[in-house]
Amino acid sequence: IPEINTQEHHAMTFATAFVSDAQYNRNIPFKTSPEAVRLYRLYNHWMMRTATYFFIFLNLSLALFEEPAVYPLPFLATSVLEVLCLLVFLGRLTHFAKVTLHNVFWKDTKNICIMVAILLSLTDLAVYGVLRLYGVGSIRWSRIVRPVFLINFAESRQIRRAFRSIRNTLPEITYVFLLFTFSLLMFSLMALKLFGERNLQTAEGLPYFRNYLEIVFDLYVLVTTANSPDVMMPAFDFSSWYALFFIAFVIINTYIFMSLFLAVVYNNYKKHLKNEIRKLAYMKRRKMVEAFNLLKEEEGEQFVVREARWKQLVKLVAPDTSSSHRELLLRISDDEQKGFVDKKSFVQLADLLNIQVVTLRIRRHPLARWAPALYGSTPSRLLRRAVRHRAFVWTYDAIILINAIFIALDEESPYISYAEWVFLALYIIEILLKVYTYEPREFFGKTQFWNWFDTLIIIAALTATILNATLKSTMKYNSQQILDIVFILRVLRLIRIVDSIQRFQVIMNTLINIVPTMLTFGGLTLVVYCVFAIIGMELFHGKIQYFPANSNVPHALECGNPALKDSLFARGRYCKNNFNDFASSFIVLMELTVVNQWHDILGMWIQPAKLYFIAFHIVMVIIIVNIFVSFILEAFFVEYSLEKSEVETAIEQKIQELGMGVQEDELQQEQLLDNMESAEHELEGDGGTKPQSKGLVFKIASKRYRTVDALLQRMFEAEIPLEDEGPSFEEILNLSPSSAVPRSLSSESAA
Amino acid sequence: IPEINTQEHHAMTFATAFVSDAQYNRNIPFKTSPEAVRLYRLYNHWMMRTATYFFIFLNLSLALFEEPAVYPLPFLATSVLEVLCLLVFLGRLTHFAKVTLHNVFWKDTKNICIMVAILLSLTDLAVYGVLRLYGVGSIRWSRIVRPVFLINFAESRQIRRAFRSIRNTLPEITYVFLLFTFSLLMFSLMALKLFGERNLQTAEGLPYFRNYLEIVFDLYVLVTTANSPDVMMPAFDFSSWYALFFIAFVIINTYIFMSLFLAVVYNNYKKHLKNEIRKLAYMKRRKMVEAFNLLKEEEGEQFVVREARWKQLVKLVAPDTSSSHRELLLRISDDEQKGFVDKKSFVQLADLLNIQVVTLRIRRHPLARWAPALYGSTPSRLLRRAVRHRAFVWTYDAIILINAIFIALDEESPYISYAEWVFLALYIIEILLKVYTYEPREFFGKTQFWNWFDTLIIIAALTATILNATLKSTMKYNSQQILDIVFILRVLRLIRIVDSIQRFQVIMNTLINIVPTMLTFGGLTLVVYCVFAIIGMELFHGKIQYFPANSNVPHALECGNPALKDSLFARGRYCKNNFNDFASSFIVLMELTVVNQWHDILGMWIQPAKLYFIAFHIVMVIIIVNIFVSFILEAFFVEYSLEKSEVETAIEQKIQELGMGVQEDELQQEQLLDNMESAEHELEGDGGTKPQSKGLVFKIASKRYRTVDALLQRMFEAEIPLEDEGPSFEEILNLSPSSAVPRSLSSESAA
């Protein structure tokens, strides 16, 4: 019966692929040949993904080494590296093509984008190289194509989603923007009529509001508030009533229109996010149904998956789960122990696998095993009790406060640098005591953010301080870099005090939850910055030079550019804000994002600077910063509504019903540890028979460390009834934000 | 039967009061004696309300005439005016006390506030007057109490709601603010450690980041982005890596924390708004039920209100409705013409009265009545058809565009000033043609915003232009004020072109809907500005003087203050930004609200200025501007969801069902007018018999001109089932945002 076995094997392979896709929320419609599935699993291997990211960032960071370079490398080196990156991208794309269905692959714009980008980069590189050989200078314009790889590789779904969200927002933004432009033009016209013939002068003695285009630009700057009182002062000095013009302008354009931009972006972001989450949830359900259909067997009147197959599947999908963990999963899926899993329970498997199971195997402290007499002695017990006491926490909060005062005091006095050693010792003692009291693997659990934070900070501070002391005593030399790091670490230690105040925790939760998605915005910003930095370097490279304060170079104070004499730019000593290399460009763009003084920073004597800035302002401030704000608003609201009402998926409820769950929030950490201790005592009494099976308990991952996406998805999944299979793959892919809830769902909820 | 009649009369009086309260959304628990109800109606009379507002604003504007004055008045005059205002307030409060129940009156904090404020103002005035007589100078500190009257009088419910919303937000804001402060202090400590011992200097040559408190302040300024690159430059010049410190600071504090403030404020605003709206909706329902209970009679198995009583009630509540209008209302309430109105229909009366009934009595044009032959002649008909044609609108759009170009061109050329007369003539002809074509009362209907806008602008421009021309020819003198107004009016004319583009209308709707509630924010801002202006004048009065540019006074360029020599303040010619009088203070506060350059404007050499500004920044920018943004966000979302799904109250549906409604949006204006014309033709054929009753049609007020409040209330009312009476008065007043939907409602929806 080898043929049946092969078939069985194939079914299992596909089912495994489907389930692990569902588990990790991937949705590549892979080919249905065993070979393709194997390739597909390789494609999704974490090493392949990491390598892809590495080459994407290598490719982006080439700008640091190419002319104009922060760290110059010969052209040959950078071009070899670039070709290498492009080859890797091509390889990855080919791999992807082998995995996916042909028609899907060629319909997907992101694949086309990657191919075009590779082609463009290679062409440009070749042309530039040849021209360089003949001594003809040209522009490496294809460098602005590089962020395309970051956007379009399947791994960066979050960034692509953000870009899709921007694309969907564009039409609406455009209408608001046109109206805003109209308002700007109207106000400028009024300003020209009102102030144009008054012969007024600005504080710098330049003519004030004479030229229409300059007025439009000045008022655009006023919308960003960057030239706020200055642009008003000449008119205000002339007559106080003219202030009304500027007040009306600011209210309408800065306050109302900018809020309207936020409203439009936020509204679209929310709409789009919900649609994406809905797609993901349905896709997951559909994949699980497909897997079920592959493995199902008839049992009485229904189709089911038998226990043996189910176990084999779990073993294939999650090879590193323990057998007791698998037993528990099975018990949840087949709670009546009938020897099979029905469809309804089967589709939950992906979520079940995603539940972090911290096997609270009621571990005994290693010392209790290695030196039970010592660890169980009265002084040791008293010590452990003391460490668990609230007063211990308070004592260390007080120590942190005293430390803060010492840090603020003058560093010169030798007593204070001795005190620093004392504090460092105290913190180390704290960590050692805690590790002595609590089970180490528990103490350094995945969700113990603050324990990790503390320990890393202290170890880093210890290392740096010792390093510095060694350098000082041996070479009589204070390394400034190390000292700086020591300073920062010392101050960072103080942050911990926030976590001991209960009321700050909701806000801290929001902030911690934001971090993963912040990376998406980091990516988004990186893309925009890269493009603008490369354009900026081409346009403004070398126009401004930076010389140290004591330089003798002529025009050092005017940044090497006589045209800047007496300008606000030179007066503010902004010379280092230039586009001379990639790193400086990034910092200038950061300053432009913050908006203030941008008209000075950009040196308005360079003509294209105005258009460059307006483009940057529209893209970065009006769109991306607003998406960022929308994201924080949404994260806060989700966190807030989660605080109010518990969102639990069906599985979590089931685990709770079975009495197998310990939800971390229900038990405060101390209680949990106390429980563990009391269990430990029992075990000691029992003599330690079968502690494993008794102590294994599902611990549902802490609410504190979830991303907004995951939260929203849980909310939405809680709304889909368990029986619902969801729409077909094709329907899911075509879901639009405006389309109603799909037929099957609405009919379910109507029933 | 006089006793019964009196009882009947009383019942009718109370019912009238209840219904008109419900209609105007008032909720004063008035005494239930006929005398009190009469007083109560007087209290609610529009003249009384207007008078109260007048005295509130008179009281506030006294600051313009008191020392330091914009327009000085003798002390006696201002104090007599103030006493007069206070007496009026006292009278109003006494009136209110006579109307409301005693225990309610004395429990209400706003009444206590008013009494305390009156007492404080009188005491302060007396003390100041006596001291003044003896030549001792003192401070009129009670002036900061004056905004209390604006907040606490029953008429300014919107402002009070905004203040309540702020009060409810405070605890949560405080936690975020503490965390933000903690972050600020931590970063400052790091900055002190990193940069304090480097001997760096700012661009002005001052020591950089040496003193902890100054660092905290500088970094607070950086959060507002006002000193954005300047504060970074010395450290950045020293080492490029230090830019990372400032980037981290800006991301965490400016972007994340400021967004978090917005999130907290917006979340509370939404929660609070919903609760208020819910209260209002329930209160309305409850009042209507009370009125019904007063008038009900038994009819078969149910209680009803008979037709005669119902009509009498409507006549009392809305005395100026026509009898045909009343008939229509009755027909909607009693659609089966049974001669009585049941409870379910009765409770809708308040909403029914609120529906704007534009009696589309298919009026004939006055000229058609006065000169039918001429008006009906072929050229006249052709002309009217031409005006109704789309091409007419397009022609005038083109004219507006050409006019815009002419305005932008140089004014000096005589041809262009002739062109101005041509354009003016063209616009006047347009209005005349429209009035000739459309029925004038229809053309100037309440909801015809753009017609009113056009006509007023044109008439004003005509008047001003003629006035200017007269002045010029008779006195050879161009009045600058009049010319300015003419310029502004000319440009404003161009705005109309926006309304002819369909896609801008959603945005324009939001903007127009925002206007009424903008007044609330105007009030809120006025209160905060008044308080800060008065404090500012006491603290900073006279420290800075403004001299015209060509003044010979010593230190004219340093604003009369030698300490300001070479400061950014003097260099930016900011001398007119001072606290020397009420009007200047307002403009400075406006500049501080916009935030940019505030550290310069406030002249940091005055020590209390730092604290003053930080207080102002927290109150105005962190709280009030965020509430304003929340408000615009909410307005946009409501408008957006209204565009998507029609929110109709039960009554509107009923009117539609009866086929008596013409909803303005269904018919474009042109179609509507075309309809009217065709009806007109019919009438002409008919010979004009009984045009009134036939043509009377409910026109539901345009969706375009509704406030956000009204929209939200409609949304919520659509959710309350018609049978639901809502909770009792006391329950309604104690509704809290966190409490669930009241029992009665939830049980209804469960059923």
Side-chain angles (χ1 to χ4, degrees), chain A residues 186 193 198 225-226 230 232 236 240 242 255 271 407 480 484 491 571 574 576 591 593 596 640, chain B residues 186 193 198 225-226 230 232 236 240 242 255 271 407 480 484 491 571 574 576 591 593 596 640:
Chain A
M186 296 287 286
K193 293 285 116 181
R198 296 273 188 287
T225 78
D230 307 83
M232 181 178 99
F236 183 42
S240 294
Y242 286 141
Y255 288 109
K271 210 171 62 179
I407 291 176
Q480 199 54 58
D484 283 352
V491 178
R571 224 190 283 158
Y574 287 173
K576 219 176 173 181
E591 290 170 7
T593 308
N596 197 54
Y640 182 87
Chain B
M186 296 288 286
K193 293 285 117 182
R198 295 272 189 288
T225 77
D230 306 82
M232 180 178 100
F236 183 43
S240 295
Y242 286 142
Y255 288 109
K271 208 170 64 180
I407 291 175
Q480 199 53 58
D484 283 353
V491 178
R571 223 189 285 158
Y574 286 174
K576 219 175 172 181
E591 290 170 6
T593 309
N596 197 53
Y640 182 84

Side-chain angles (χ1 to χ4, degrees), chain A residues 71 172 175-176 178-179 182 186 189-190 192-194 197-198 201-203 205 225-230 232-233 236-243 247 250-251 255-257 259-260 262-264 266-267 270-271 404 407-412 480 484 487-488 491-492 494-495 497-498 503-504 507-508 510-511 514 518 546 571-577 587 590-591 593-594 596-597 601 625 628-629 632-633 636-637 640 644 738, chain B residues 71 172 175-176 178-179 182 186 189-190 192-194 197-198 201-203 205 225-230 232-233 236-243 247 250-251 255-257 259-260 262-264 266-267 270-271 404 407-412 480 484 487-488 491-492 494-495 497-498 503-504 507-508 510-511 514 518 546 571-577 587 590-591 593-594 596-597 601 625 628-629 632-633 636-637 640 644 738:
Chain A
Y71 309 104
E172 256 183 275
Y175 289 116
V176 180
L178 285 177
L179 207 58
F182 179 75
M186 296 287 286
L189 200 53
M190 269 191 233
L192 180 68
K193 293 285 116 181
L194 289 179
E197 282 149 33
R198 296 273 188 287
Q201 290 189 324
T202 63
T225 78
N227 59 356
S228 163
D230 307 83
M232 181 178 99
M233 290 320 289
F236 183 42
D237 283 349
F238 187 79
S239 160
S240 294
W241 291 106
Y242 286 141
I247 292 175
V250 165
I251 290 175
Y255 288 109
I256 297 181
F257 269 107
S259 304
L260 215 55
L262 176 60
V264 170
Y266 180 46
N267 197 35
K270 235 174 24 178
K271 210 171 62 179
I407 291 176
L409 291 175
D410 190 37
E411 192 72 26
E412 297 302 307
Q480 199 54 58
D484 283 352
F487 287 146
I488 291 174
V491 178
L492 282 180
L494 308 180
I495 291 180
I497 208 164
V498 169
R503 301 302 302 251
F504 288 155
I507 310 167
M508 287 305 283
T510 313
L511 294 180
I514 283 169
M518 281 278 279
Y546 171 70
R571 224 190 283 158
R573 293 221 228 143
Y574 287 173
C575 304
K576 219 176 173 181
N577 294 326
I587 289 170
M590 195 277 296
E591 290 170 7
T593 308
V594 173
N596 197 54
Q597 302 287 2
I601 293 167
V625 169
F628 180 76
V629 173
I632 291 186
L633 288 179
F636 181 84
F637 297 150
Y640 182 87
K644 288 259 141 183
S738 52
Chain B
Y71 310 104
E172 254 182 279
Y175 289 116
V176 180
L178 285 177
L179 208 58
F182 179 75
M186 296 288 286
L189 200 54
M190 269 189 232
L192 180 69
K193 293 285 117 182
L194 290 179
E197 283 149 33
R198 295 272 189 288
Q201 289 189 325
T202 63
T225 77
N227 59 356
S228 163
D230 306 82
M232 180 178 100
M233 290 320 289
F236 183 43
D237 283 350
F238 186 80
S239 159
S240 295
W241 291 106
Y242 286 142
I247 292 175
V250 165
I251 290 175
Y255 288 109
I256 297 181
F257 270 107
S259 305
L260 215 54
L262 177 60
V264 171
Y266 180 46
N267 196 35
K270 234 172 27 176
K271 208 170 64 180
I407 291 175
L409 291 176
D410 190 38
E411 193 72 25
E412 297 302 305
Q480 199 53 58
D484 283 353
F487 287 146
I488 291 174
V491 178
L492 282 180
L494 308 180
I495 291 180
I497 207 163
V498 169
R503 300 303 300 251
F504 289 156
I507 310 166
M508 288 304 283
T510 313
L511 293 179
I514 283 169
M518 282 277 279
Y546 171 69
R571 223 189 285 158
R573 293 220 228 140
Y574 286 174
C575 303
K576 219 175 172 181
N577 293 326
I587 289 170
M590 195 277 296
E591 290 170 6
T593 309
V594 173
N596 197 53
Q597 301 287 2
I601 294 167
V625 169
F628 180 77
V629 174
I632 291 186
L633 288 180
F636 180 82
F637 297 151
Y640 182 84
K644 289 258 142 186
S738 52

Side-chain angles (χ1 to χ4, degrees), chain B residues 19 22-25 280-281 284-285 288 325 329 332-333 344-357 649-652 655 698 700 710 713-714 717-718 720 722:
Chain B
V19 173
Q23 190 188 349
Y24 295 114
N25 263 333
L280 283 180
K284 187 198 244 178
R285 182 63 60 91
M288 290 311 296
H325 184 174
L329 291 182
I332 290 166
S333 297
K344 204 170 139 184
S345 306
F346 184 85
V347 294
Q348 297 173 38
L349 180 59
D351 300 315
L352 216 50
L353 286 169
N354 270 341
I355 291 180
Q356 275 199 18
V357 177
T649 58
I651 319 147
E652 287 184 2
I655 294 174
F698 278 78
I700 297 166
Q713 204 172 331
R714 285 159 60 88
E717 274 170 19
I720 316 181
L722 278 178

Side-chain angles (χ1 to χ4, degrees), chain B residues 593-614:
Chain B
T593 309
V594 173
V595 161
N596 197 53
Q597 301 287 2
W598 62 262
H599 53 302
D600 290 341
I601 294 167
L602 227 46
M604 278 309 131
W605 47 278
I606 313 170
Q607 270 305 317
K610 289 185 186 181
L611 290 178
Y612 177 82
F613 176 76
I614 290 179

